[in-house]
Amino acid sequence: MKFLLAASTALLSTAATTAFAPATSKVSFSKNARNTPIGKSTPLFMSDDDDWAAPKSAMIGGAGVNNAGEPPFEIRGFSLGNLVIGAGIGITVLSFADYLSTAGGDGLSMSGVGFVYGIPIFLAGSALKYAEIEPVPCISTPASESVFESKATEIIKKIKQDVTRHRYGDEAHLDTTVKKLGLVIPGKDYPQLIELREDVTDDGELAFTMVWQSLDTPYKMWADEKRRKRYETFFGPDVGAEVVKINAEQRMVGIRLTTGGPLSEEYLASKAEKEAAVASA
């Protein structure tokens, strides 16, 4: 019992101290930094320079602890918060069992060491769990999965990769994205990404829909034509964008990205006519 308790305490305490340590990185400044043009933006990472790419060391931790850059590794399929909580509880229980088994005996007891490490590890796991955002589901079919593999753009692939894993410390999935697009009302909650949907259009293109629950941001803001055109450049290139009303009662709205280039004026006019007919019916 003592050997098991000592080994698990040493292993988990080392992991706990290194898991939250910021990755070391070397920051350098270019002489041309002052000449960098202002006003441009990249589709996903919201940089001021279209050619900007964050170093891999920009991420603090692996499970989506920070939005800047790409993580050096990913944690998928389980919750890091649950893992750390379980480790803390396990060490504490082993310490308590060791205390009961050696009560009144002579010699060094490991129960005190277990309590010293077990409780802080449990608290660290609780903090992670509090800041945790669950991965969103992706609704697809075998046909749409095949089209996704062949026609999804790099931006669409990065979005799916980013939101289908646990994240920590963010307001919501794609929080910086909706803020950059002007879809967050000051003082109000962020729209919450609910799910992804993958479909195949009639002409064989990929339709990738991001569905949000927008309790505070009205549908008119999402569907504004200037903002719709911005979606095509923001999530582009080579995609068309349209806003879809998913569920009015639950205030669910979707941004539907279609591969193959921006939407044609004829398609948008036909869609507007259909929406007007439904509204007047």
Side-chain angles (χ1 to χ4, degrees):
M1 176 70 75
K2 292 182 179 180
F3 175 77
L4 177 61
L5 180 59
S8 61
T9 300
L11 178 61
L12 289 171
S13 62
T14 302
T17 56
T18 57
F20 299 100
T24 58
S25 62
K26 184 177 180 181
V27 180
S28 60
F29 297 90
S30 171
K31 294 181 180 180
N32 297 325
R34 295 182 180 180
N35 297 324
T36 302
I38 300 175
K40 298 181 180 180
S41 61
T42 56
L44 185 60
F45 295 110
M46 286 58 103
S47 168
D48 290 334
D49 187 351
D50 285 338
D51 296 328
W52 178 89
K56 292 185 181 297
S57 60
M59 285 297 297
I60 295 177
V65 179
N66 197 316
N67 273 331
E70 298 180 2
F73 64 93
E74 293 182 1
I75 297 177
R76 291 183 176 272
F78 66 93
S79 166
L80 182 61
N82 289 342
L83 177 64
V84 178
I85 288 175
I89 292 175
I91 292 176
T92 304
V93 170
L94 287 174
S95 301
F96 190 69
D98 183 66
Y99 171 78
L100 292 178
S101 64
T102 58
D106 296 330
L108 179 64
S109 174
M110 296 298 297
S111 59
V113 178
F115 280 117
V116 168
Y117 285 101
I119 295 176
I121 291 174
F122 171 78
L123 294 177
S126 299
L128 274 176
K129 191 64 180 177
Y130 177 78
E132 183 179 89
I133 303 176
E134 293 284 340
V136 301
C138 181
I139 301 174
S140 62
T141 63
S144 63
E145 290 178 358
S146 177
V147 173
F148 181 91
E149 293 298 326
S150 61
K151 295 198 173 186
T153 65
E154 288 300 317
I155 294 300
I156 290 178
K157 290 179 180 178
K158 287 181 180 179
I159 292 173
K160 182 177 179 179
Q161 182 184 30
D162 183 72
V163 304
T164 54
R165 60 188 174 94
H166 290 87
R167 295 192 65 86
Y168 299 89
D170 298 334
E171 293 287 343
H173 282 297
L174 300 181
D175 53 353
T176 48
T177 297
V178 292
K179 186 175 182 179
K180 187 73 174 180
L181 291 170
L183 296 170
V184 180
I185 298 177
K188 300 294 184 178
D189 292 335
Y190 279 71
Q192 299 293 316
L193 187 66
I194 302 299
E195 65 186 20
L196 302 178
R197 298 181 182 181
E198 296 174 359
D199 299 294
V200 182
T201 64
D202 294 337
D203 53 355
E205 296 292 339
L206 171 68
F208 183 81
T209 306
M210 298 168 284
V211 180
W212 275 275
Q213 185 174 45
S214 181
L215 298 177
D216 297 304
T217 306
Y219 175 78
K220 290 183 178 179
M221 287 185 62
W222 291 83
D224 178 73
E225 179 59 21
K226 291 183 179 180
R227 187 170 280 112
R228 187 205 64 78
K229 291 182 178 179
R230 189 180 180 190
Y231 299 155
E232 293 183 338
T233 57
F234 192 86
F235 295 109
D238 302 325
V239 297
E242 58 184 311
V243 179
V244 184
K245 185 178 290 186
I246 305 296
N247 189 312
E249 293 182 359
Q250 298 182 11
R251 303 183 68 85
M252 294 174 62
V253 60
I255 295 180
R256 187 173 188 254
L257 305 178
T258 307
T259 58
L263 300 179
S264 64
E265 295 296 332
E266 292 79 6
Y267 173 83
L268 294 173
S270 174
K271 180 184 177 182
E273 291 178 358
K274 291 179 180 178
E275 291 179 349
V278 171
S280 60

